[in-house]
Amino acid sequence: MKRLLILVTLLAFSTASHAATPADAQAALANAVKVETQAAGLGNRWVPTEAALKAARDAIAKQNWDEALAQAKTADALAQRAVAQSQEQETLWRDAVIR
Amino acid sequence: MSLRSILLAVAALGLIGAGPVPQSGVAAAAADQKAFQAYFHDHFPKLPTAEFGNGPYAVNAEMRKQWEDIMQFPPYDFALDEGKTAFETKFANGKSYADCFADGGIGVRQTYPQFDAKTGEIVTLDLAINRCREANGEKPLAYQTGMMASLTAYMAETSRDKPFDITIPDDPRAIAAYEAGKKYFYTRRGQLNFSCASCHVVAAGQRMRGDILAPAMGILAAFPIYRSDWGSMGTIDRRFTSCSSQMRSEPLKPQDVAYRNLEYFLSYMSNGVPITGPGTRP
Amino acid sequence: MASTIRVRASANGTTTDVQALIQHPMDSGFVKDSNGVLIPPHHIETVTFVYAGKTVLTANWGPAVSKDPYIKFSFQGGAKGDELKVTWVDNLGKTDTVAAKIA
């Protein structure tokens, strides 16, 4: 969780260096949606990912490209973690089974 | 040692380690259930099997006292009355719910979920009710609350004190559904990285904020419940979806295959625990 | 049409114990529905319990009491077989009443 917070904070700050273009924002959103679709296929969509995607879409609608980019990158990071979680759990779940 | 003899030795050790229990199948499921119940009896040695259907009230004396007070006038009473009336009302085509269920639907709740050999899927009581409605020209009910909760409350009441009696037939599809439910139960998901087991096995009986975590054994016995937190009735679906959200995992749709398989697994693990539904919870 | 009031009263020596469960939405008027529209206030204002012509309890509820309220209290007096009358009135002027026998 702490690693995730640090990662997300770094990502947020890294996008502040230059103004985002609409193309940046749209591409980031498309990317995040792609990863989230993968997470969905694994049955593991996260609530905060969906919230960040919605925030990105809302920001695009308001033409707030910086915000959209930031939210899309957050969504992307969260979705990637979800995919990793599912992949790890493919083998790890058995350890938790009551024997 | 040659590579071949090393591989043979490892394979042999692997076979010895696995023991006589097969990887999956009816016997494996029975062994799971035995280990599951032994775990909970070990952790709650003072609890008779019958008490496992009472969730937090079985493991916390102060909450139990409040519960006993509330049960003098169960908050699910209104839903129960509504459910009984609805259950006994004929459909437009003259048939009724009784025509869809064994024993007229009275005293059968403890056998659900069931494996349906015709469709190869797990059928919960809620799904069976809607299948019954659709087969008789009625619109299906929304899941989670409302009339679905009232109907299942009545059917649960007719099964009160009957022990869970779930069957896993020797059919690969039933076994696969059971195994899928078992995997779901133990798999971590959501931003909070919890599995069902994280709270209801590892931390059963302990507090999570103001709540007492119920042991997984018997956890579905009291459904549908009037939950004070909701101020209304809720079915198993309602709890599955709301719990998913609480783990910051996007909930699946009510009666999603994954939820039905989970209910199958949890109910089978609770065989022998008497139905305590409809129930009330904090 | 079933009553919205369920009452159980039992005589206990010199006192009578009373419990009642009342079916009512008890909308405070502060809650919005799923469309963001305020649900208008609809809650019980008073509940009265009358025994032998005398009011033994008046409950002044209002928006702070939750849906389907439950009340439990005891009063001095009361005998088995006697009648206890329970009445509620809400902010919309609706009302319901029931007469229960003390057990």
Side-chain angles (χ1 to χ4, degrees):
Chain A
M1 190 60 199
K2 190 172 170 211
R3 266 205 341 261
L4 177 63
L5 279 170
I6 293 170
L7 170 69
V8 168
T9 315
L10 280 172
L11 277 170
F13 280 122
S14 72
T15 62
S17 51
H18 67 86
T21 66
D24 289 340
Q26 296 281 18
L29 177 62
N31 224 43
V33 168
K34 202 169 107 209
V35 186
E36 178 69 340
T37 305
Q38 194 188 358
L42 296 163
N44 197 14
R45 291 189 304 148
W46 285 7
V47 167
T49 315
E50 294 295 316
L53 285 173
K54 181 174 186 296
R57 291 190 183 107
D58 288 349
I60 284 174
K62 292 204 192 80
Q63 304 193 336
N64 188 344
W65 313 116
D66 286 335
E67 173 70 8
L69 185 67
Q71 291 287 358
K73 288 199 164 180
T74 301
D76 193 292
L78 290 166
Q80 283 189 43
R81 192 67 200 90
V83 169
Q85 181 188 51
S86 290
Q87 288 168 341
E88 289 159 15
Q89 286 295 302
E90 264 305 301
T91 44
L92 285 181
W93 75 270
R94 287 201 185 274
D95 293 346
V97 175
I98 297 173
R99 273 170 255 286
Chain B
M1 273 168 92
S2 72
L3 180 63
R4 190 179 127 88
S5 55
I6 291 170
L7 285 171
L8 275 172
V10 169
L13 278 169
L15 280 171
I16 291 165
V21 178
Q23 282 284 58
S24 74
V26 175
D32 284 342
Q33 182 198 78
K34 194 155 169 260
F36 193 90
Q37 299 203 357
Y39 172 93
F40 285 104
H41 283 302
D42 271 344
H43 279 71
F44 300 98
K46 292 204 213 95
L47 282 191
T49 299
E51 272 297 321
F52 279 95
N54 292 325
Y57 308 123
V59 298
N60 185 282
E62 192 41 60
M63 287 185 74
R64 193 186 184 91
K65 194 169 167 297
Q66 293 177 41
W67 174 59
E68 282 167 355
D69 264 351
I70 290 174
M71 285 301 277
Q72 287 174 58
F73 257 123
Y76 55 71
D77 245 11
F78 301 123
L80 189 53
D81 277 355
E82 183 184 68
K84 180 170 194 287
T85 305
F87 189 84
E88 291 168 351
T89 305
K90 287 204 199 329
F91 301 131
N93 70 356
K95 294 221 158 136
S96 67
Y97 291 102
D99 295 312
C100 298
F101 291 93
D103 298 337
I106 303 298
V108 300
R109 180 265 174 275
Q110 73 283 1
T111 62
Y112 283 86
Q114 297 179 351
F115 172 71
D116 181 357
K118 273 203 296 281
T119 57
E121 54 175 354
I122 299 302
V123 176
T124 60
L125 184 62
D126 303 42
L127 186 61
I129 285 171
N130 267 349
R131 293 248 165 103
C132 178
R133 289 178 64 85
E134 288 176 308
N136 285 288
E138 301 283 331
K139 278 213 288 277
L141 296 167
Y143 293 110
Q144 301 193 75
T145 188
M147 185 56 80
M148 180 57 80
S150 297
L151 276 166
T152 49
Y154 175 63
M155 292 183 80
E157 182 67 39
T158 66
S159 283
R160 192 176 280 280
D161 297 332
K162 286 191 203 269
F164 259 120
D165 184 19
I166 308 298
T167 309
I168 304 180
D170 196 359
D171 180 315
R173 299 167 301 171
I175 291 161
Y178 163 81
E179 289 290 333
K182 172 179 162 186
K183 182 180 173 189
Y184 188 101
F185 181 81
Y186 289 108
T187 298
R188 291 181 184 274
R189 67 192 69 251
Q191 189 186 25
L192 294 189
N193 200 36
F194 286 147
S195 65
C196 310
S198 308
C199 291
H200 297 293
V201 172
V202 179
Q206 294 175 42
R207 278 193 186 278
M208 181 152 74
R209 299 201 185 126
D211 291 319
I212 300 276
L213 296 166
M217 179 171 157
I219 200 168
L220 299 180
F223 278 87
I225 52 173
Y226 182 96
R227 197 166 183 239
S228 298
D229 184 30
W230 297 329
S232 59
M233 295 293 289
T235 62
I236 292 171
D237 273 325
R238 188 168 184 180
R239 195 63 193 106
F240 281 173
T241 52
S242 57
C243 186
S244 293
S245 299
Q246 286 173 314
M247 298 306 111
R248 315 262 177 85
S249 173
E250 274 292 326
L252 305 171
K253 288 220 168 14
Q255 296 302 304
D256 187 292
V257 172
Y259 283 160
R260 283 187 272 143
N261 291 341
L262 174 65
E263 192 182 323
Y264 193 45
F265 166 78
L266 271 173
S267 304
Y268 178 73
M269 288 294 108
S270 304
N271 268 1
V273 177
I275 298 299
T276 50
T280 168
R281 289 288 183 270
Chain C
M1 169 80 180
S3 172
T4 58
I5 307 170
R6 275 152 218 240
V7 190
R8 211 170 288 151
S10 53
N12 255 333
T14 55
T15 58
T16 298
D17 299 325
V18 184
Q19 298 172 88
L21 181 68
I22 301 175
Q23 196 177 17
H24 198 285
M26 298 302 287
D27 292 317
S28 65
F30 298 113
V31 178
K32 291 187 181 161
D33 66 17
S34 51
N35 295 318
V37 180
L38 267 183
I39 300 168
H42 182 203
H43 44 76
I44 293 173
E45 297 280 13
T46 54
V47 190
T48 46
F49 294 78
V50 177
Y51 172 74
K54 244 179 68 173
T55 301
V56 292
L57 181 83
T58 305
N60 294 308
W61 286 348
V65 177
S66 305
K67 184 171 163 233
D68 297 343
Y70 168 79
I71 183 169
K72 179 174 173 176
F73 73 99
S74 306
F75 67 90
Q76 295 276 7
K80 188 172 161 158
D82 287 352
E83 192 189 83
L84 178 71
K85 194 148 163 249
V86 187
T87 311
W88 59 257
V89 183
D90 69 22
N91 67 318
L92 297 181
K94 295 197 180 145
T95 182
D96 194 8
T97 187
V98 85
K101 274 213 170 355
I102 299 175

